[in-house]
Amino acid sequence: MLYLTLKIIHIMSGAVLFGTGAGIAFFMLRAHMSRDVATIAAVGKIVVLADFVFTASAVLVQPVSGLGLIYLQGYALTEPWLLAAYALYVLIGVCWLPVVWMQMKMARLAQTAADAGEALPAAYHRLFRGWFILGWPAFAGVIGIYWLMVAKPAF
């Protein structure tokens, strides 16, 4: 029963991690494409909140439930497919942490511009480009981890 509970928790938190990331990317991109400063500011606030409530929670649950599953299934922590998953998890984190900071900064810049009735500053656009670029390796990393968890390849 413990194994099934941990497995469900691990799968669900992985789905939350992937789904929230994809949803945040979609809504941020759509808001940005609208070119409406007030929309960008409002969506930016929601995205930051979603990242802290959902993504951060899943980021904490994933390693705990994953380690429990590894132990219960009798795998060594050094299985090659697990080492690859750890590396991808670190890559995702290295991308995600600056992205969260960028989202917070972009939301503040957009809100300031909206309050002043001004266009978005150049700093917002620079941050958006960085946010967009860092999203791709993080997204690919999550897909890679899913593949590793399902395939458990023998390298």
Side-chain angles (χ1 to χ4, degrees):
M1 185 65 175
L2 176 60
Y3 171 77
L4 287 178
T5 301
L6 271 179
K7 191 170 186 175
I8 289 169
I9 290 168
H10 195 67
I11 290 169
M12 293 302 293
S13 64
V16 167
L17 192 64
F18 183 78
T20 303
I24 283 171
F26 175 79
F27 288 113
M28 278 291 284
L29 186 57
R30 292 294 297 158
H32 178 79
M33 290 171 59
S34 78
R35 300 189 189 277
D36 181 68
V37 179
T39 297
I40 294 167
V43 170
K45 286 180 196 171
I46 294 167
V47 160
V48 168
L49 178 62
D51 242 347
F52 279 103
V53 172
F54 298 107
T55 309
S57 299
V59 163
L60 296 174
V61 170
Q62 281 287 283
V64 173
S65 59
L67 288 171
L69 289 170
I70 291 166
Y71 173 77
L72 290 174
Q73 293 176 92
Y75 288 112
L77 290 172
T78 56
E79 297 282 343
W81 63 274
L82 285 170
L83 294 175
Y86 307 151
L88 287 174
Y89 200 73
V90 169
L91 170 71
I92 293 163
V94 166
C95 293
W96 178 67
L97 289 172
V99 159
V100 172
W101 175 83
M102 289 173 183
Q103 288 170 174
M104 291 169 35
K105 184 79 171 152
M106 287 187 298
R108 282 194 301 272
L109 288 169
Q111 189 61 59
T112 299
D115 292 345
E118 297 173 352
L120 293 167
Y124 167 87
H125 294 286
R126 281 191 303 276
L127 288 166
F128 182 83
R129 281 190 297 278
W131 174 88
F132 186 81
I133 290 166
L134 286 172
W136 287 103
F139 183 75
V142 172
I143 292 172
I145 290 175
Y146 268 109
W147 180 79
L148 288 164
M149 295 297 114
V150 172
K152 296 175 180 57
F155 291 111

